[in-house]
């Protein structure tokens, strides 16, 4: 069983920064497809950012361009999401997702393509 463990969420004022992490104990995931999704109540889970192998330029939703950065550190078995210039509409539960399959670019934004999920971490942007 693959476990994904998110951490680092919290409350931050508009314009602030936050880094959340996703750890996968005991797994080497350099060739896995991994992503961050987010969800607010009453809406579908939304693809935020992700890549299909460690080091690949990530795909991202347009609203986070220039503000969010994805990184993977294989020595730590971890993936990070650095979020800068946060806005109130970034408020959501953020989920880490992974699959050992290399997804094609047209499907990597689909939540149904991911086999493993974390429990989520709440990010609230408010003054």
């Amino acid at each position: 069983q693959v476990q994904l463990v998110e951490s680092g969420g919290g409350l931050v004022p508009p314009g602030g920064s936050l880094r959340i992490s996703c750890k996968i104990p005991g797994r080497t995931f350099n060739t896995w497809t991994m992503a961050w999704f987010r969800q607010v109540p009453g809406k579908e889970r939304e693809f935020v950012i992700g890549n299909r192998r460690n080091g690949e330029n990530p795909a991202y939703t347009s609203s986070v361009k220039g503000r969010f950065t994805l990184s993977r550190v294989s020595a730590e078995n971890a993936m990070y999401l650095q979020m800068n210039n946060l806005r109130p509409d970034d408020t959501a539960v953020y989920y880490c997702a992974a699959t050992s399959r290399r997804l094609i670019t047209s499907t990597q934004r689909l939540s149904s393509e991911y086999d493993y999920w974390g429990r989520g971490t709440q990010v609230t942007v408010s003054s």
Side-chain angles (χ1 to χ4, degrees):
Q1 183 68 22
V2 176
Q3 269 192 310
L4 306 183
V5 182
E6 301 107 333
S7 62
L11 173 65
V12 62
S17 297
L18 199 64
R19 188 179 81 156
I20 57 178
S21 64
C22 171
K23 297 211 171 180
I24 313 176
R27 296 280 175 168
T28 301
F29 53 83
N30 285 336
T31 60
W32 286 30
T33 301
M34 299 190 67
W36 289 98
F37 286 76
R38 64 187 179 187
Q39 190 170 24
V40 298
K43 291 192 175 181
E44 290 189 0
R45 198 164 291 189
E46 173 192 29
F47 175 87
V48 178
I49 192 168
N51 58 12
R52 299 175 301 153
R53 60 173 172 80
N54 196 2
E56 180 182 76
N57 285 335
Y60 48 84
T61 191
S62 58
S63 65
V64 307
K65 182 180 180 181
R67 300 188 300 121
F68 288 15
T69 303
L70 177 75
S71 62
R72 302 199 207 182
V73 182
S74 56
E76 298 176 9
N77 290 344
M79 177 174 71
Y80 298 97
L81 178 61
Q82 177 68 42
M83 302 180 287
N84 298 327
N85 193 19
L86 281 160
R87 310 186 308 212
D89 61 356
D90 294 317
T91 296
V93 177
Y94 283 72
Y95 296 92
C96 173
T99 176
S100 60
R101 294 172 291 122
R102 180 175 170 83
L103 300 179
I104 59 176
T105 54
S106 61
T107 61
Q108 74 175 121
R109 297 169 185 263
L110 302 177
S111 59
S112 58
E113 293 293 323
Y114 292 81
D115 301 309
Y116 309 109
W117 291 86
R119 292 188 175 185
T121 186
Q122 176 71 46
V123 173
T124 302
V125 184
S126 175
S127 54

